[in-house]
Amino acid sequence: MIAAFISPSKIIFVIVELINSYAAVYYGNFLYFYVRDRFGFSGFENLLLAALSGFVYVFAAWQGGAFAERYGYVRGLYTGLIGVVVSLAAGLLCASVVGQVIVFAAWTVSICFTWPALEAIVSEGGTARLSDLVGIFNVTWAVAYFTTGLLLERLGMASLFWFPLCLVALEVVLVFLARRLRQREATALPVMTEETEAGRPTDSRRLLRMAWLANPLSYVAINTVLPLIPSISDGLGLSTGIAGIICSLWMFARLAAFAILWRWTGWHYHVTWLIGAFAVMAVCFAGFVHSRSVAMLVAAQVGFGLSVGLIYYSSLFYSMHASEEEGAHGGLHEAMLGAGLFVGPACGASSLLLFPSLAVATWPVTGLLVAGLAGLAWMGRYEKRAIGLSDPPQDDYLTPPPP
């Protein structure tokens, strides 16, 4: 059970992370439906909006991680949450297209200050294994996708702003409580040492760099898909609520991947798993955006979700495990993610400008993924030759905990 191996304050921070995820998904993912319905945004304009968000995300996440490392994780979290509150409140009052774009950019900056801080808080110290802590973080993050589409349909499009605003206000209260508990626990809890520098495989930072290449490319795929979901769902005759369920199946598959990879740690520092997952992702991306039926859409999403789950997990785990500066590396992990958030939609929008057909416009993104796969294969071959992964390391942290 979670309570058996993490402190009360960390349990509260996990709850904060879950609420933050839900609020971010509720606003960030369904804003594309909002601007489509209210301002008549097409797939091309949604891709441009996503590209802008990704461009802002790169620099904001980098600075958010550095801020948390320098001034403290809790202070960084507070800064981000306050910014989110102000942004969403402005969104409630703003009625223009330009205003909503500015609100989205401000919200993106603010949310980028929350994630590196939360990742570091959940992953640092305490009495739990890092693999368990990262697993909890990933699973709670993925749970946010379960009901947002139907809830938005029930509450109405105006709830895109006020509902996550209420959730973030609750987060501020919980962070205050968790911070007080954390101060009391600072000298009372022992620190686990099973995942120290001595337990890391030789040249672990090289595989960290591979994960940092794979993760932004996976988000190239993800953030090319997300702005196009309204168009994909329209093509298959799906309503907003039904599209929110069916087009989120890949997120359920990613949740399953997070749960499996949390309990089974044999994938740690094995390049074949990372490369194989990337290959599956590239194939399933093409099936996702070119689905001709609901059955094809579902099948492609299963493979897509499982593969991006392993890629994301690898980037976050190695970022926390291969460095003592969790906040700064968490920010870099998020910045690499932001690079994918920008490149994917920007590439898709440019392609749509040149090739108005959606079926043709997404092929450049597929080509970029194939190029990324070739790069990972080259890096993996070099990695195997450099550190001898034909004989996997047998460090204690790789051994699953006893039942």
Side-chain angles (χ1 to χ4, degrees), residues 155-241:
L155 296 178
M157 201 56 84
S159 69
L160 187 74
F161 303 100
W162 65 258
F163 182 68
L165 180 60
C166 293
L167 293 180
V168 175
L170 175 60
E171 285 183 69
V172 173
V173 175
L174 291 175
V175 170
F176 177 80
L177 175 60
R179 181 173 178 269
R180 298 292 296 271
L181 288 173
R182 190 168 178 252
Q183 290 172 340
R184 296 177 187 175
E185 297 162 354
T187 58
L189 293 174
V191 177
M192 292 291 283
T193 59
E194 62 171 314
E195 297 182 335
T196 60
E197 183 71 39
R200 296 175 188 141
T202 305
D203 205 14
S204 61
R205 289 177 182 267
R206 187 179 299 277
L207 205 142
L208 169 61
R209 287 191 287 271
M210 288 182 65
W212 277 355
L213 171 63
N215 197 43
L217 287 173
S218 75
Y219 271 82
V220 167
I222 292 171
N223 260 55
T224 299
V225 166
L226 287 179
L228 295 178
I229 283 179
S231 300
I232 294 172
S233 60
D234 285 347
L236 296 175
L238 305 176
S239 67
T240 299

Side-chain angles (χ1 to χ4, degrees), residues 141-160:
W141 189 85
V143 166
Y145 291 98
F146 279 19
T147 60
T148 47
L150 288 176
L151 186 60
L152 180 70
E153 200 170 55
R154 178 66 64 91
L155 296 178
M157 201 56 84
S159 69
L160 187 74

Side-chain angles (χ1 to χ4, degrees), residues 65-82:
F67 182 93
E69 194 65 43
R70 181 174 182 180
Y71 296 105
Y73 303 148
V74 174
R75 187 172 296 175
L77 180 56
Y78 269 133
T79 301
L81 291 177
I82 291 171

Side-chain angles (χ1 to χ4, degrees), residues 47-325:
L47 283 169
L48 286 179
L49 183 61
L52 171 64
S53 174
F55 182 78
V56 172
Y57 201 108
V58 174
F59 301 99
W62 181 19
Q63 292 304 310
F67 182 93
E69 194 65 43
R70 181 174 182 180
Y71 296 105
Y73 303 148
V74 174
R75 187 172 296 175
L77 180 56
Y78 269 133
T79 301
L81 291 177
I82 291 171
V84 170
V85 167
V86 173
S87 301
L88 292 175
L92 271 173
L93 304 174
C94 183
S96 68
V97 176
V98 174
Q100 288 298 337
V101 171
I102 294 174
V103 165
F104 190 34
W107 174 86
T108 300
V109 172
S110 302
I111 204 70
C112 285
F113 273 68
T114 67
W115 291 128
L118 276 170
E119 289 162 5
I121 291 171
V122 172
S123 301
E124 70 173 350
T127 60
R129 289 155 39 97
L130 177 61
S131 54
D132 288 327
L133 294 171
V134 174
I136 294 168
F137 182 93
N138 284 336
V139 168
T140 55
W141 189 85
V143 166
Y145 291 98
F146 279 19
T147 60
T148 47
L150 288 176
L151 186 60
L152 180 70
E153 200 170 55
R154 178 66 64 91
L155 296 178
M157 201 56 84
S159 69
L160 187 74
F161 303 100
W162 65 258
F163 182 68
L165 180 60
C166 293
L167 293 180
V168 175
L170 175 60
E171 285 183 69
V172 173
V173 175
L174 291 175
V175 170
F176 177 80
L177 175 60
R179 181 173 178 269
R180 298 292 296 271
L181 288 173
R182 190 168 178 252
Q183 290 172 340
R184 296 177 187 175
E185 297 162 354
T187 58
L189 293 174
V191 177
M192 292 291 283
T193 59
E194 62 171 314
E195 297 182 335
T196 60
E197 183 71 39
R200 296 175 188 141
T202 305
D203 205 14
S204 61
R205 289 177 182 267
R206 187 179 299 277
L207 205 142
L208 169 61
R209 287 191 287 271
M210 288 182 65
W212 277 355
L213 171 63
N215 197 43
L217 287 173
S218 75
Y219 271 82
V220 167
I222 292 171
N223 260 55
T224 299
V225 166
L226 287 179
L228 295 178
I229 283 179
S231 300
I232 294 172
S233 60
D234 285 347
L236 296 175
L238 305 176
S239 67
T240 299
I242 298 300
I245 296 175
I246 294 181
C247 293
S248 295
L249 290 178
W250 68 273
M251 302 170 190
F252 288 77
R254 182 171 60 176
L255 172 61
F258 286 160
I260 293 168
L261 298 173
W262 169 12
R263 305 309 300 167
W264 174 69
T265 58
W267 58 274
H268 289 180
Y269 293 99
H270 285 252
V271 296
T272 51
W273 281 98
L274 184 58
I275 295 173
F278 195 92
V280 171
M281 179 199 68
V283 172
C284 291
F285 165 79
F288 197 158
V289 297
H290 299 298
S291 292
R292 301 299 181 186
S293 66
V294 173
M296 182 179 176
L297 182 63
V298 169
Q301 286 187 80
V302 171
F304 188 76
L306 291 173
S307 56
V308 298
L310 189 144
I311 293 168
Y312 179 88
Y313 208 136
S314 297
S315 178
L316 182 55
F317 177 80
Y318 298 144
S319 293
M320 297 295 106
H321 186 252
S323 172
E324 300 300 327
E325 298 179 340

